[in-house]
Amino acid sequence: MGGVRAVARIGATADGRGGTALPVLESDGPLALRRTRAVGDEARVVLVGAMSGPLGGDRFAVEAEVGSGARLRVGSAAATIALPGQIKDAAHYDVRLDVADEGELHWLPEPLISARGSDLYVTTRADLGPGARLVLREEQVLGRVGEEPGRLTSRLVVRVGGRTVLDQELACGPGAPGGWDGPAVLAGHRAVGQLVVVRPEFATHPVGAQILGEHAALVPLAGPAALVSAVAPDGLRLRRVLDEALTVLHLR
């Protein structure tokens, strides 16, 4: 089998002194993890792409585990660009997030850009304890400036206390099922994103559904969670909408 294989792992635990330790910080190949300065009791890590990709045939995986009482924020240094490669197989990028009861994770990577000729499957799975907290942002841009997109299939699954609160998949680009660019899905826009927020207090005080801007909506999920879905002409305007949603949810 061709392509590059790479795995990055993060483990965060409460350090017993009111902060968060990072006993596991492992990465290889094109994935590099960098610890940055902590803020209060929150540990911070940046994912740095050491090479181009993912390319055709590559398989990347990022795993983060947050223990009880730990707080972790993960971002990335730059956008991830899915590119065509010499190998014609699809590339895969898998993200696995596990947050224990009373743990908290902010997963805030930069956008994923689907370049012309690429074929990428992205899967993000988040498993949370019943008292865990999560802020997860996902942004996808279809094509670079003036460029048609590649094929991009994205699945997002969130489970809280063993119960699925969100399981959705979107396929875009050449070869995707018909209608992905129509009025019921992207309506001609080239940036799509979502924000998932899990808070124990949402179980008794769920957020109210509302429209944010022209092409975004905030809705409660069937559990202690809320979802913001948005489309925009470009990545910059998409980020503005999702930042507005964080303000609405009192997370900024």
Side-chain angles (χ1 to χ4, degrees):
M1 296 178 66
V4 175
R5 305 292 188 269
V7 180
R9 296 184 177 91
I10 309 169
T13 60
D15 65 6
R17 302 186 301 274
T20 299
L22 296 173
V24 178
L25 203 62
E26 303 172 351
S27 53
D28 58 17
L31 300 176
L33 297 171
R34 299 288 183 263
R35 184 197 311 253
T36 60
R37 185 183 298 274
V39 176
D41 59 352
E42 179 183 77
R44 297 193 170 192
V45 173
V46 173
L47 179 64
V48 180
M51 296 168 54
S52 297
L55 308 177
D58 289 352
R59 288 184 173 269
F60 294 176
V62 181
E63 302 170 1
E65 185 173 350
V66 181
S68 180
R71 296 186 63 209
L72 174 66
R73 178 181 296 257
V74 180
S76 56
T80 298
I81 304 179
L83 296 165
Q86 294 182 345
I87 298 172
K88 299 304 180 184
D89 295 339
H92 293 262
Y93 200 127
D94 297 318
V95 176
R96 178 62 186 264
L97 311 174
D98 290 281
V99 187
D101 199 31
E102 305 301 328
E104 181 168 350
L105 172 63
H106 288 231
W107 187 262
L108 303 169
E110 293 303 304
L112 168 65
I113 301 173
S114 174
R116 182 178 181 178
S118 64
D119 188 356
L120 177 64
Y121 286 77
V122 180
T123 303
T124 301
R125 297 179 182 273
D127 283 283
L128 285 72
R133 297 172 179 268
L134 173 71
V135 178
L136 183 154
R137 183 181 67 210
E138 186 176 80
E139 299 169 310
Q140 296 158 356
V141 179
L142 305 181
R144 292 168 291 192
V145 177
E147 177 185 65
E148 290 300 310
R151 171 73 180 267
L152 176 62
T153 304
S154 174
R155 185 180 180 191
L156 174 60
V157 181
V158 179
R159 292 168 54 85
V160 181
R163 179 185 179 188
T164 299
V165 299
L166 179 67
D167 187 344
Q168 66 179 28
E169 182 174 290
L170 176 64
C172 303
W180 66 270
D181 203 20
V185 188
L186 297 187
H189 292 87
R190 283 295 176 264
V192 57
Q194 48 208 346
L195 185 71
V196 179
V197 179
V198 178
R199 288 286 184 270
E201 56 267 28
F202 287 171
T204 52
H205 297 86
V207 301
Q210 59 181 291
I211 300 298
L212 301 174
E214 292 186 65
H215 305 291
L218 166 64
V219 296
L221 296 176
L227 171 68
V228 177
S229 298
V231 296
D234 54 54
L236 180 59
R237 278 177 275 192
L238 177 66
R239 175 64 62 85
R240 288 173 180 165
V241 171
L242 296 182
D243 282 348
E244 177 189 347
L246 288 172
T247 300
V248 170
L249 291 166
H250 306 292
L251 296 172
R252 294 190 72 200

